[in-house]
Amino acid sequence: MEESVLDFYDDLAEAYHLIFVNWNHAISWQGEILSKIIHSKLASPSSEGASLLDCSCGIGTQAIGLAKHGFKVTGTDLSPVSIQRATEEAVSFGVEINFGVADLRLLETELSGVFDVVLSADNAVPHLLTDEDLYLAVRNMYAKVNNDGVCLITMRDYDELVKEKPKATEPRVLDNGKRIVFQVWDWADDAKTYQTNHFIIQEINGQWITKHNKTRYRALLRDEFSHILSAVGFTDIEWSMPSESGYYQPIVTARKKL
């Protein structure tokens, strides 16, 4: 994982909510959908109050939403600035979440305890560009899942994206034309990675202000990632596409059985 990943999220943390049409609604909506999916996958007939680790929690979008649905949530992230904001936001939303700074690849040593659910949402895992880092992160997630617990990860649909190699996302014009959010993608020649240039453009007091952040992702294919999940010991690996789940990204779930 490049140092720029940490810089990307530290610098973006204050403005991260501006990526969404309405961040408060996104918290509620994602919490509702992810809660239903998780409960359908947990083995216990009554999974109320299940423990959950959001190991790439950012400013708390999914962690807060799931805490509002009764999960006992712990949130970790590589970015200390994001964790600081997530801590403040959880208080403002009236939920109790334990937050801390931890690297996806070092969860076993940097975080105590195990959880019924380990979650990584919103395309965080593809920041890991090498097989070595991917295996390391997934092994650490596996170590944090209770026996018969579930791991749930969401990411972009790279199986489709590598076919077209889009140069940019569709600009979203928000706040009655006063906020524009979009990304420009620079693909590597082999189409295995791409650099995201993330833009938030706002009209503030009559002036247009541009915020630009950049980071690199791996175009991680579903078969590639399923193989890694299986290789470290996960079973019952299932992919659910947005048309099935109602979520905005493909979701993979996997179970830890010993």
Side-chain angles (χ1 to χ4, degrees):
M1 189 185 300
E2 298 178 351
E3 185 67 22
S4 65
V5 177
L6 176 57
D7 295 338
F8 179 78
Y9 287 108
D10 271 355
D11 189 57
L12 192 56
E14 184 178 355
Y16 196 88
H17 65 287
L18 297 174
I19 295 171
F20 301 88
V21 176
N22 181 314
W23 187 54
N24 287 12
H25 177 266
I27 289 172
S28 175
W29 173 74
Q30 292 197 39
E32 181 176 355
I33 291 181
L34 291 174
S35 176
K36 289 179 180 177
I37 294 170
I38 291 167
H39 284 304
S40 75
K41 297 296 182 180
L42 287 174
S44 170
S46 175
S47 49
E48 189 69 28
S51 60
L52 183 145
L53 168 64
D54 182 347
C55 61
S56 56
C57 69
I59 65 169
T61 308
Q62 295 83 24
I64 293 169
L66 288 165
K68 291 175 76 69
H69 278 268
F71 289 91
K72 298 175 182 176
V73 179
T74 295
T76 60
D77 198 273
L78 183 71
S79 164
V81 181
S82 295
I83 288 295
Q84 178 59 41
R85 178 163 181 199
T87 302
E88 295 166 359
E89 295 290 356
V91 172
S92 71
F93 278 91
V95 293
E96 187 174 331
I97 301 174
N98 295 316
F99 286 109
V101 177
D103 190 315
L104 278 174
R105 301 163 297 180
L106 301 172
L107 293 171
E108 191 170 10
T109 56
E110 295 185 348
L111 181 67
S112 61
V114 290
F115 304 84
D116 299 317
V117 184
V118 171
L119 166 73
S120 177
D122 198 19
N123 206 55
V125 167
H127 278 299
L128 303 166
L129 305 181
T130 67
D131 286 353
E132 180 183 9
D133 275 350
L134 282 165
Y135 274 101
L136 185 57
V138 174
R139 280 196 296 268
N140 273 265
M141 291 183 199
Y142 185 86
K144 291 287 117 180
V145 181
N146 275 324
N147 294 342
D148 220 21
V150 171
C151 182
L152 186 155
I153 295 166
T154 87
M155 64 180 69
R156 290 181 177 133
D157 186 358
Y158 289 114
D159 289 57
E160 290 300 316
L161 289 170
V162 296
K163 296 176 184 177
E164 300 293 334
K165 296 185 282 296
K167 297 295 186 184
T169 61
E170 188 75 23
R172 288 178 293 154
V173 181
L174 311 169
D175 295 344
N176 296 316
K178 295 184 180 294
R179 174 164 51 108
I180 305 169
V181 181
F182 64 96
Q183 299 177 22
V184 176
W185 292 1
D186 297 327
W187 289 85
D189 290 340
D190 60 5
K192 290 185 178 179
T193 66
Y194 64 100
Q195 179 174 282
T196 290
N197 294 278
H198 193 284
F199 293 90
I200 302 173
I201 303 174
Q202 284 183 285
E203 184 188 355
I204 301 175
N205 297 326
Q207 290 189 320
W208 285 94
I209 308 298
T210 299
K211 181 170 181 56
H212 169 233
N213 298 89
K214 62 182 180 180
T215 188
R216 185 164 291 277
Y217 290 102
R218 173 170 170 165
L220 184 59
L221 303 180
R222 289 193 286 278
D223 281 350
E224 289 179 322
F225 195 52
S226 293
H227 176 77
I228 293 171
L229 289 166
S230 177
V232 304
F234 280 113
T235 62
D236 300 342
I237 299 164
E238 296 181 1
W239 286 90
S240 179
M241 302 305 289
S243 59
E244 308 165 65
S245 67
Y247 199 66
Y248 74 103
Q249 289 181 338
I251 294 171
V252 61
T253 54
R255 189 174 304 282
K256 179 177 180 177
K257 288 184 179 179
L258 293 182

